[in-house]
Amino acid sequence: MRRPYVGWRPGRARCPRPPRTGVLALARRLAGVALLIGGAVAPPSGAQPRTGNARSYDPAQAVRFGNAAAFRNLISPSMLEQQASGEYRQWVHSAQQRGQLLPDGDLQVKRVRAILQRLIPYALKWNERAKQWQWEAYVVRSQHMMIRCLPGGKLLIDSALLTRLRPNDNELAMLMGHMVAHALREHARERLGRQQATQLGAGTIPQLFGLADLGSTPLDIGTHLAHLRYDAADETEADVIGDEIASRAGFDPRAALTVWSRAAALPGASKTSFIATHPMTPQRAADLRKRLSDMLPLYAKALGTTTDALPRYRRNR
């Protein structure tokens, strides 16, 4: 368990240092992992994540219990993005071969890509590497309701999410912003790093991401990326950052509460939709509602108006 934030002040995300090269770097990493596995720092009993005020958040001052940065550093960001891009290409190609990839001219595809283009400028401050990402978005014809953003800005949406959930643009932007935030904050990299550390602690030392300088081959990450689950701290961080990105882009943050609640209420959502890997809890709903006072001014500013002048939210708009 880790504590996601200490205070809220605007600022840039601090990116992890490039991995050191050579045998000495490997020794240092493995020694650090051994310490983490043997005695990861734990939060005080009963400690609760502090969400604070989004307008005063400084991502560079984020403090996490369990030294999450050390787990991330087990995996090179460039290698993870390269592997994720390759996996993404395979998913898209496979969907195209089966006739399930919606064409570029499809209205839903155009809609998704238009929303993404509005989000990107406000996403870049959260990860320096994102400025070099080749952002992409595709929609796949599927009965499932998954939405994913792989490391490197690769977005994939199942068509049933659009036809069954029927999100308006505000709701879709909030979902997309949330998934983009997971990629920006490198949650997948940390999750995979923890899995690597667990294997090391068990005495099995596989070939590791991030050790390309020693000639190792990266592990197959396709299954891991497709079914990666995030913890409560990850979800809180993605909610806050994703909502801020979408709000600054001119999308109504009140839509976040409605879309997550409606998605969780759909029959079978816990097995066939993004809710399975991004669970909606009463605490998350309460936090989303609480943060509206921080997000609405950002949304109003994007529209060139004031919070008091905003119309009442109607989800059918």
Side-chain angles (χ1 to χ4, degrees):
M1 184 67 182
R2 65 185 187 278
R3 183 178 173 188
Y5 303 115
V6 174
W8 298 87
R9 290 193 297 276
R12 287 183 170 272
R14 177 178 299 170
C15 293
R17 299 178 187 173
R20 296 185 179 93
T21 60
V23 177
L24 179 59
L26 172 61
R28 287 174 177 170
R29 282 186 192 167
L30 297 184
V33 170
L35 289 173
L36 286 170
I37 296 172
V41 181
S45 176
Q48 297 294 323
R50 286 169 51 187
T51 54
N53 187 318
R55 286 167 292 184
S56 61
Y57 173 57
D58 182 359
Q61 294 187 2
V63 175
R64 297 172 180 272
F65 288 98
N67 200 350
F71 287 115
R72 286 198 300 270
N73 287 339
L74 281 175
I75 300 177
S76 160
S78 60
M79 184 172 289
L80 179 58
E81 290 166 14
Q82 181 181 2
Q83 285 269 293
S85 179
E87 190 66 29
Y88 185 74
R89 297 262 67 82
Q90 290 183 31
W91 289 352
V92 170
H93 178 72
S94 177
Q96 189 173 35
Q97 292 294 99
R98 298 192 305 266
Q100 295 178 316
L101 188 69
L102 297 191
D104 293 343
D106 185 271
L107 291 179
Q108 292 286 29
V109 175
K110 289 183 175 181
R111 177 189 178 205
V112 166
R113 290 176 178 173
I115 291 174
L116 180 60
Q117 287 305 310
R118 288 176 60 181
L119 298 179
I120 290 172
Y122 302 97
L124 301 182
K125 75 172 185 178
W126 295 99
N127 188 322
E128 287 291 335
R129 295 185 62 83
K131 295 176 182 178
Q132 282 74 49
W133 286 358
Q134 300 299 312
W135 296 82
E136 296 182 78
Y138 286 95
V139 179
V140 175
R141 190 175 292 106
S142 171
Q143 294 303 310
H144 296 296
M145 298 199 323
M146 298 301 293
I147 174 172
R148 308 176 183 94
C149 186
L150 273 59
K154 310 297 186 184
L155 198 72
L156 198 68
I157 300 179
D158 288 343
S159 61
L161 182 148
L162 303 173
T163 56
R164 287 188 58 199
L165 187 59
R166 301 180 67 82
N168 60 29
D169 284 357
N170 291 308
E171 292 176 326
L172 184 55
M174 291 297 150
L175 289 180
M176 291 171 60
H178 180 96
M179 303 304 165
V180 164
H182 278 303
L184 292 168
R185 299 304 286 163
E186 301 184 319
H187 293 157
R189 185 179 169 209
E190 181 186 336
R191 295 283 122 203
L192 293 170
R194 288 179 182 273
Q195 292 177 17
Q196 300 274 2
T198 300
Q199 292 179 45
L200 284 172
T204 59
I205 305 181
Q207 293 174 319
L208 296 177
F209 283 116
L211 303 184
D213 54 307
L214 298 182
S216 63
T217 302
L219 298 175
D220 177 17
I221 64 170
T223 301
H224 295 296
L225 288 176
H227 303 288
L228 207 60
R229 293 182 66 89
Y230 300 101
D231 66 16
D234 291 337
E235 291 303 316
T236 296
E237 191 168 37
D239 279 341
V240 174
I241 295 174
D243 288 2
E244 178 184 319
I245 290 170
S247 297
R248 291 185 184 278
F251 295 100
D252 196 325
R254 292 171 290 190
L257 188 59
T258 64
V259 72
W260 284 101
S261 299
R262 291 195 307 107
L266 286 176
S270 61
K271 295 182 179 179
T272 62
S273 83
F274 56 90
I275 290 295
T277 50
H278 305 266
M280 180 62 173
T281 64
Q283 183 60 52
R284 271 191 74 195
D287 289 343
L288 286 170
R289 187 176 292 105
K290 207 179 298 183
R291 283 191 293 270
L292 283 177
S293 60
D294 299 320
M295 301 300 169
L296 284 172
L298 303 179
Y299 170 56
K301 183 178 179 180
L303 299 186
T305 186
T306 64
T307 305
D308 292 339
L310 289 174
R312 184 177 180 180
Y313 177 69
R314 298 170 182 251
R315 75 153 301 272
N316 61 345
R317 289 193 304 158

